[in-house]
Amino acid sequence: MSARRVLLLTAAAYESDPEGPRVDGGLVLRAAAAAGLDADALDAAERAGLERSPDGRLRLPGRRAVYEAARPAHRRAAHRLLAEAAAGERHRSAALLHRALAAPYPDSGIGDELAAAARASGPSHGERATALAHAAALATEPAVRAERLVAAADQARLAGRPHRARELLDRAAALTPPDEVRGSAALVRGLLTLRDGPVADARASLLLAARLCPRDRALDARLAAAEAAWALGDAEAYREAVGEPRAPGASARFYGFAMAAALDDRYAAGRAALRRVVAEAADAGDPDALLRAGSAALVAGDVEAACRLGSLALAAARALDAGPELPRALELLAYGELRAGRHARARAHAEEGLRAARATGQRNVLAHQHAILALVASLDSDAVTVARHAAAAQDIAARHGLVQAATLAQWALARADLARGRACEAAARLGPLVRPGPRRGHFAVRMLAVPCFVEAAVSAGDLEGARAAVAEFTVWADRGYDRQAKAQLARCHALLAAGDPVRAEARFTEALARHERTGGDFERARTADLHGQWLRRARRPARARVLLRDALVAFERCGATVWAARTAAELRATGDAPAYEEPPGRLAELTPQQLRIAHCVAEGATNREVASRLSVSPRTVDHHLRNVFALLGVRSRVELARLVDRAERPVAHS
């Protein structure tokens, strides 16, 4: 019997935060002691299923069944004991809630006290949501009830419980609340949809909130509507959401001014304003303010500041138990590390971000994390892994209108194609994203993908398309939003000048010199690799080997193993023998050139396409292919594709 009373006290304690994983063990023990229960009762309760964690908190599987099986009088008695045990200001909200649950009849006075305590600092977001929901049930006026339900929904959102938040909003809507409460509800619903739902719907809800809410909350709604427009890839809608770009006093509004100015022709003023936003956020403790400043740093091209602010936002979100901000901070960190070329760190943050986004029901954030993981995988993983992450990102992006996530996913797929010598496929993926038109990519990402498109387009023979992209990229690079852009631009010009040896050599040399000043192993390695390929085809193998070895070491250093394999094959084609792991099985019997041809054919390329990729004649390809068939004992291109697929399929580890 004593064990059952301890279990009931624990189950009743959960009523202050029903969805919380554990309850305060000290509170339950004080209530148990007041009821005359000793340590033997607690031991018996543990044998009956009560779990105690090292920090003293309690967990009770099946707590709902325990609570509902008890008689109402016994439940009220448990709540009275818990109310008396909840001493101190920190437990004031819990004490009032247990008093309300212990009362045989509803008490509106306790409801008022409960609502006031829930709005004070101290309780967790989950506890505040529960307290406000109970306070709403005790209110006699429908407008007061609706206002408390909306406030409870906002706290449930902050606790990372979107389903509970939407349920509370639906209950509030049924009460036909006044405009100000409707505005608050639209803001909460818009923020929920911004993280998990069609972002166009989120934008509409947030703009409604901006019209109905008081001035301070209207600003929050406008900035969130601008974020929705950003995800949609609609620059005009972004400007509309933040309003006229004038320089106001509030830092949040100044952020909107800075971002809007950076999107139009006043980029110099916009960049200066973005830097001011970053500088002013140094001492901020609010995760939202830090996340805004981190986004500003990315747009301004200050990747290191973005990573620093992302780390601060992550720490603040954890300290403040800010559920929705945690995966967003991890997203900012992952993207910042990716832009900085620190791919292993980007993967670690994105993988943690996946878990956090799933736990808090934020599928839109999940899509961006998958897109980042696809970009990382395009450096060091098989094509299947890239495709898996890209497909996950695109599936959510297509349903929710996430143009930025979709653009990143396509860029990842194209980069994986490039690494495997599939230039035509890469150009086909990126062409619509970087060119003007209705299918163009996201305005903040498309210029970042231009260097990949130019490399692919030149290899595929689309010089006109490459030149058009370079013309726009030149204007963008001059604005200074990306430290790597000038070096990448010189590389693009070198690729376009391949037929002019003097000009191409000068541009490649310029690109490498700029990389030395800006850093970034991966981009520098790509330039050295392309320079080495160009020299090999120009029949200058000695110089080509120097650059290709440099590229190989750099790719290995930054973990870009897929690109390192491509460079190793280029080195072998110059007559060098790099210390790089050979392909497994029967493919190891092939010469480097035969292996390259086997890969191309296995991917579906015709002899003429293979010849174009490898800068040899179709007759040479035909000769090598016959030898490949003979050495491997295959009789068709289909059999060759199957053999290559089996040999290079990733080994599953148990």
Side-chain angles (χ1 to χ4, degrees), residues 270-453:
R271 193 171 179 214
L274 290 170
R275 286 173 173 166
R276 176 179 151 185
V277 169
V278 172
E280 289 180 352
D283 299 323
D286 173 32
D288 262 335
L290 290 164
L291 287 168
R292 282 196 298 268
S295 298
L298 280 176
V299 173
D302 192 346
V303 175
E304 294 304 328
C307 293
R308 184 176 66 255
L309 290 162
S311 294
L312 291 172
L314 182 62
R318 285 173 170 156
L320 297 173
D321 188 29
E325 277 73 27
L326 186 65
R328 290 175 58 213
L330 288 163
E331 178 191 341
L332 172 63
L333 258 176
Y335 190 57
E337 297 289 8
L338 182 72
R339 290 278 302 274
R342 295 186 286 264
H343 304 105
R345 292 191 205 175
R347 173 181 277 121
H349 286 122
E351 286 175 345
E352 186 182 353
L354 281 183
R355 294 188 290 271
R358 287 194 187 103
T360 53
Q362 300 188 63
R363 283 180 295 176
N364 292 356
V365 181
L366 195 70
H368 282 90
Q369 301 287 21
H370 273 299
I372 291 167
L373 286 169
L375 279 163
V376 175
S378 71
L379 273 68
D380 64 1
S381 302
D382 58 277
V384 174
T385 301
V386 181
R388 175 168 55 83
H389 283 301
Q394 289 177 310
D395 179 53
I396 301 169
R399 285 181 284 129
H400 292 177
L402 306 173
V403 174
Q404 185 174 12
T407 303
L408 291 171
Q410 281 295 315
W411 183 19
L413 290 168
R415 209 155 73 168
D417 284 335
L418 264 182
R420 291 162 176 81
R422 303 176 63 180
C424 294
E425 291 86 343
R429 288 187 192 281
L430 290 176
L433 300 181
V434 301
R435 296 190 188 108
R439 292 163 57 208
R440 71 191 303 175
H442 191 274
F443 56 80
V445 178
R446 54 189 292 269
M447 286 294 103
L448 299 176
V450 164
C452 283
F453 170 71

Side-chain angles (χ1 to χ4, degrees), residues 598 601-605 625 629 634-646:
V601 171
E603 291 169 354
L625 193 56
F629 277 30
V634 298
R635 292 176 295 179
S636 70
R637 300 168 90 93
V638 173
E639 286 184 28
L640 175 61
R642 288 173 181 162
L643 189 149
V644 170
D645 179 65
R646 285 196 302 271

Side-chain angles (χ1 to χ4, degrees), residues 105 185 213 236 301 443 624-625:
Y105 304 104
C213 284
E236 188 56 43
F443 56 80
H624 281 305
L625 193 56

Side-chain angles (χ1 to χ4, degrees), residues 100-179:
L101 292 169
Y105 304 104
D107 186 330
S108 60
I110 292 179
D112 294 340
E113 288 185 69
L114 191 55
R119 290 186 170 91
S121 60
S124 69
H125 293 300
E127 290 170 331
R128 291 182 189 182
T130 303
L132 286 162
H134 276 284
L138 295 172
T140 55
E141 294 292 328
V144 174
R145 193 177 307 147
E147 185 272 332
R148 289 176 182 175
L149 285 170
V150 171
D154 196 27
Q155 292 300 316
R157 176 188 68 82
L158 292 169
R161 298 169 187 172
H163 298 298
R164 174 62 172 160
R166 289 188 174 94
E167 175 194 331
L168 291 164
L169 287 174
D170 290 342
R171 285 167 54 188
L175 297 170
T176 317
D179 281 354

